Amino acid sequence: MAVLAIAVIVLLRPVSEWTADVAPTANVVGDHWTPGNKDAIGTANSRQSNVWFTAVHGTLADLLYPTVDVDNLRQLDYLVTDGSSFFFDAAVQGDATSRVTDDRALTYQLTVEDKQHHFSLITDIATDPERPVVVLQGHVSGGANLMVYGYLVPHIVGTGSGQIAFFDGSRAYVHKKDVWLAIGGDIGTDTAGYLGHGDGYDQLHQDRLTSRFRQAGPGRVTLTWRLNASGSDWSSYLAFGPSRAAADAALGAALKRGAAGIIAAYRDGWRQYAAQLTPYSGATTSFYHNAEVIKMAEDKLHPGAIVASLAQPWGDTAPDDNSDVGYRKVWPRDLYHAASGLLAAGDTTTAYDVLRFMGKQQQADGSMPQNTDLEGKPVWPGQQLDETADAILLAVRLAGRATGPDIERAAGYLIANGPATQQERWEEASGYSPATIATEVAALRAGARMVNPDHAAKMRETAARWDTELESETFTHTGPYGSGYYIRISPDGKPDTAEPINIANGGGVWDQREIVDPSYLELVRLGVRAANDPRIVATIAVVDGHDSTAVGGNPMWYRYPHDGYGERNAGSAPPGVGHPWPLLSLERGVYDVIEGRRLTQPPIATSPDDLIGEQVWEDGGDPTGSARPLVWAHAEAIILGKAIATGVVDDRPT
């Protein structure tokens, strides 16, 4: 009897749900980010929701908090198994698509289809307008007896190192320093672990979680949990805060509101923004999305600070601890174009904020830095005179409506240091650039109307001299492509000589006369040369012969011959081979409007996600791993669309 009693006690003893409380320590050397080609991007149109998301290959990628330049996530992946015969990784397998789901809102639906096993994963993403919470509403369609797991690879405060992750009841947490991420919603069977060392991802290759640990860290940790334990649908909530209590409070409020309510409020916020815009006659839905992409890239805590992109170009090749935030910096040039696009769309409020922020960026000597952080402090040390000129152009355009850069100090810097520039607009070469000189001349002419007469006279005299000297410094008569054309840049302002120019990113050293760049059309855009000027027309033929290619039956343009800023092949990164830029097709369209050609639509193909990338592949026009979306390109799309409709280029100086 005694033996039997003991046996009964043993049978009734509770079994721990964890293999162990803490995962076995593992040394993970390093990790990376995701590609710069984003499927979707977003943030609520409210200051309270200081969190941004991106998606890659149908799965959640970056989570930016508390500012738009601080990344906290590599990816929230979907892992699918039937428990016995296959393992599916949605981040790299299957066919991924993304589409905008509202013609007036920045809303996306992501789909990853596995044709082999006949199922699809469908996700809607939004952020809570009232707090820093991202919500995902997911659904698995088709298949049979499928188990869908979430696999979280956090990079809190910009790197995967030093993190602690754990489960506590129905919630999961990751934290480092003073940033906490709380996760709630549908959380089934789960485990914490170390990246690539027997964590949930590794275990599910064997179709199930065989070892489960409540906590892991500090280190490069991961969390894995069952999503669809109750059926084919699930919801996930990711809430940020400066403490566990704050993250928990945000998560609790979001859970109470529910995924459907948050997604509806998110959509309504963007529809309200769209309703305040002033579309031109014939504007398509892309008009609204272009403006919303620009607005989305503005930081919530620093009004007017619009970053160049939410992406880190070729992030899948970048170490997760390299401290560089990619294109999540503020370039005065991109900022100028962003403001111009918003003005053309009717968002004057944000444009005024941009001008104020440019005032913060301006240096004591009057110059604008190459780029800055969100506080306006310089990051990269280059000096690009077109950026100082851009600040003048915007300040003149918005004079009397907001305080911005000091025009007289900026003009003084140009006069003292121009027209040759340390870097042209591609940030790679020094010398006499037609595009830079065009911006300088236009800025000095425009700014002369806003300063005292003595300084105005100096500005006009300098602009006239630089205008007169332009061809002697940038137009070659001895090049291999014909009797006369503008070159990309002349290091010494002697375009008829065989001056060597070094092409960045391993492009090699070439005779300056062999390097032509469509950017010279800024001369026409800014009113420095007429569209039918014989020198302009002659250079078009040269550029089209040496910088263009056909993509999907349409002409597109490279930055210049031998460009190395791009992939040599899919999955690589610069140095490599530069690919066509949609931005340059849009700029060419602006020239065509000025020249008098009748366009019926922008010269680039739109995609279901309405996002314009920095570069595209020659074969088919799909985006490369560089930055997507590029804010500058979306601004240019607004300018061109309005120009096609009205015949007027909205940001052309008068």
Side-chain angles (χ1 to χ4, degrees):
M1 288 293 293
V3 173
L4 179 60
I6 293 172
V8 170
I9 292 171
V10 170
L11 288 172
L12 295 178
R13 182 179 296 165
V15 178
S16 172
E17 64 173 319
W18 305 107
T19 304
D21 188 64
V22 181
T25 302
N27 181 30
V28 181
V29 175
D31 196 19
H32 54 85
W33 298 99
T34 52
N37 169 27
K38 306 304 181 184
D39 295 346
I41 41 83
T43 186
N45 183 36
S46 68
R47 297 288 182 194
Q48 300 95 316
S49 183
N50 58 323
V51 61
W52 295 254
F53 68 83
T54 78
V56 171
H57 201 270
T59 57
L60 183 67
D62 313 277
L63 286 180
L64 306 163
Y65 164 88
T67 52
V68 73
D69 60 346
V70 180
D71 205 347
N72 298 277
L73 183 72
R74 190 242 278 174
Q75 202 148 33
L76 173 53
D77 195 356
Y78 292 139
L79 308 178
V80 185
T81 177
D82 62 356
S84 61
S85 65
F86 78 90
F87 169 86
F88 178 81
D89 179 356
V92 295
Q93 294 176 269
D95 298 323
T97 56
S98 172
R99 66 179 181 88
V100 174
T101 58
D102 192 296
D103 63 0
R104 296 291 188 277
L106 205 61
T107 59
Y108 297 88
Q109 186 173 85
L110 311 175
T111 301
V112 182
E113 182 182 8
D114 181 359
K115 295 180 179 178
Q116 180 180 354
H117 300 102
H118 312 292
F119 71 86
S120 297
L121 301 167
I122 303 166
T123 309
D124 291 277
I125 309 178
T127 71
D128 189 333
E130 297 182 9
R131 52 192 62 88
V133 179
V134 176
V135 61
L136 295 84
Q137 196 168 49
H139 174 76
V140 58
S141 175
N145 302 317
L146 299 179
M147 292 178 284
V148 183
Y149 290 83
Y151 177 63
L152 186 84
V153 184
H155 284 172
I156 301 296
V157 198
T159 176
S161 64
Q163 304 172 110
I164 294 175
F166 62 93
F167 291 93
D168 189 356
S170 62
R171 297 184 177 186
Y173 300 88
V174 188
H175 75 94
K176 183 172 66 177
K177 298 181 179 178
D178 58 352
V179 173
W180 281 76
L181 171 62
I183 305 153
D186 294 297
I187 295 183
T189 306
D190 46 28
T191 186
Y194 290 89
L195 181 66
H197 290 263
D199 66 350
Y201 185 91
D202 287 352
Q203 293 181 44
L204 286 172
H205 275 81
Q206 307 303 317
D207 305 318
R208 57 176 48 86
L209 297 180
T210 56
S211 299
R212 298 176 53 229
F213 307 99
R214 190 185 68 85
Q215 177 176 326
R220 285 184 164 85
V221 295
T222 68
L223 291 172
T224 308
W225 67 94
R226 176 82 182 271
L227 283 166
N228 69 327
S230 301
S232 59
D233 300 320
W234 65 87
S235 296
S236 296
Y237 302 76
L238 299 97
F240 283 98
S243 65
R244 178 175 177 176
D248 265 331
L251 178 57
L255 286 165
K256 184 176 181 180
R257 189 173 197 180
I262 290 173
I263 291 172
Y266 175 89
R267 181 191 62 241
D268 290 346
W270 280 115
R271 290 187 69 88
Q272 290 170 12
Y273 177 80
Q276 297 168 7
L277 301 177
T278 52
Y280 47 82
S281 176
T284 65
T285 57
S286 292
F287 165 83
Y288 298 98
H289 295 137
N290 287 330
E292 289 170 351
V293 167
I294 300 170
K295 180 65 176 176
M296 172 278 312
E298 181 189 24
D299 189 64
K300 305 295 181 68
L301 305 182
H302 303 87
I306 299 176
V307 296
S309 175
L310 262 60
Q312 180 166 169
W314 302 284
D316 50 332
T317 67
D320 73 330
D321 57 358
N322 66 357
S323 74
D324 185 66
V325 298
Y327 280 12
R328 303 169 195 134
K329 308 181 188 75
V330 188
W331 275 262
R333 179 191 310 103
D334 296 61
L335 204 52
Y336 163 77
H337 289 289
S340 298
L342 291 176
L343 285 169
D347 181 0
T348 56
T349 299
T350 305
Y352 299 158
D353 285 339
V354 165
L355 186 67
R356 295 185 188 99
F357 185 79
M358 292 181 84
K360 296 178 182 178
Q361 290 180 306
Q362 188 175 33
Q363 303 298 287
D365 60 7
S367 69
M368 299 297 287
Q370 181 177 2
N371 52 40
T372 72
D373 63 14
L374 302 178
E375 300 284 348
K377 298 176 183 177
V379 180
W380 291 353
Q383 184 56 246
Q384 300 164 22
L385 294 184
D386 66 314
E387 295 195 292
T388 299
D390 283 338
I392 294 174
L393 289 172
L394 188 63
V396 170
R397 187 173 183 188
L398 297 181
R401 306 180 204 179
T403 302
D406 184 280
I407 293 173
E408 192 164 318
R409 284 196 294 123
Y413 187 85
L414 289 182
I415 293 170
N417 293 276
T421 182
Q422 184 189 73
Q423 294 179 348
E424 31 69 277
R425 76 172 188 165
W426 300 130
E427 307 190 293
E428 297 170 346
S430 63
Y432 296 80
S433 155
T436 297
I437 295 174
T439 315
E440 293 172 312
V441 170
L444 291 177
R445 287 174 174 170
R449 304 196 302 268
M450 310 300 298
V451 300
N452 69 69
D454 291 340
H455 203 78
K458 180 66 173 178
M459 291 166 66
R460 292 191 181 96
E461 183 274 327
T462 303
R465 177 163 47 85
W466 289 355
D467 184 323
T468 301
E469 296 170 349
L470 172 66
E471 277 71 33
S472 68
E473 295 162 343
T474 65
F475 192 87
T476 184
H477 300 275
T478 62
Y481 305 142
S483 59
Y485 54 89
Y486 292 100
I487 60 177
R488 172 197 173 196
I489 196 165
S490 178
D492 296 319
K494 299 176 181 178
D496 287 334
T497 65
E499 182 75 20
I501 182 172
N502 182 55
I503 302 297
N505 298 295
V509 178
W510 300 88
D511 185 327
Q512 63 178 340
R513 297 169 296 179
E514 296 184 45
I515 310 302
V516 289
D517 174 3
S519 298
Y520 85 97
L521 287 175
E522 290 295 281
L523 290 166
V524 177
R525 169 72 164 267
L526 297 172
V528 178
R529 291 290 179 271
N532 62 354
D533 186 302
R535 296 162 296 195
I536 296 291
V537 175
T539 309
I540 283 179
V542 175
V543 165
D544 288 354
H546 298 275
D547 277 345
S548 68
T549 187
V551 179
N554 297 313
M556 293 193 73
W557 285 267
Y558 299 95
R559 296 196 303 174
Y560 47 78
H562 313 295
D563 186 7
Y565 187 64
E567 302 101 313
R568 191 165 298 281
N569 48 59
S572 66
V577 178
H579 301 285
W581 285 57
L583 170 67
L584 294 173
S585 295
L586 295 165
E587 290 186 341
R588 180 61 168 266
V590 168
Y591 166 78
D592 287 340
V593 171
I594 296 172
E595 194 268 341
R597 297 185 186 182
R598 183 172 179 80
L599 301 181
T600 58
Q601 60 184 14
I604 61 169
T606 58
S607 56
D609 54 31
D610 253 351
L611 299 177
I612 306 173
E614 184 176 60
Q615 299 182 42
V616 299
W617 292 103
E618 289 81 352
D619 183 12
D622 290 333
T624 72
S626 57
R628 180 175 185 260
L630 185 68
V631 168
W632 181 359
H634 282 271
E636 190 71 353
I638 295 173
I639 297 292
L640 176 56
K642 189 171 183 178
I644 291 172
T646 65
V648 177
V649 177
D650 202 70
D651 62 351
R652 194 179 193 209
T654 56

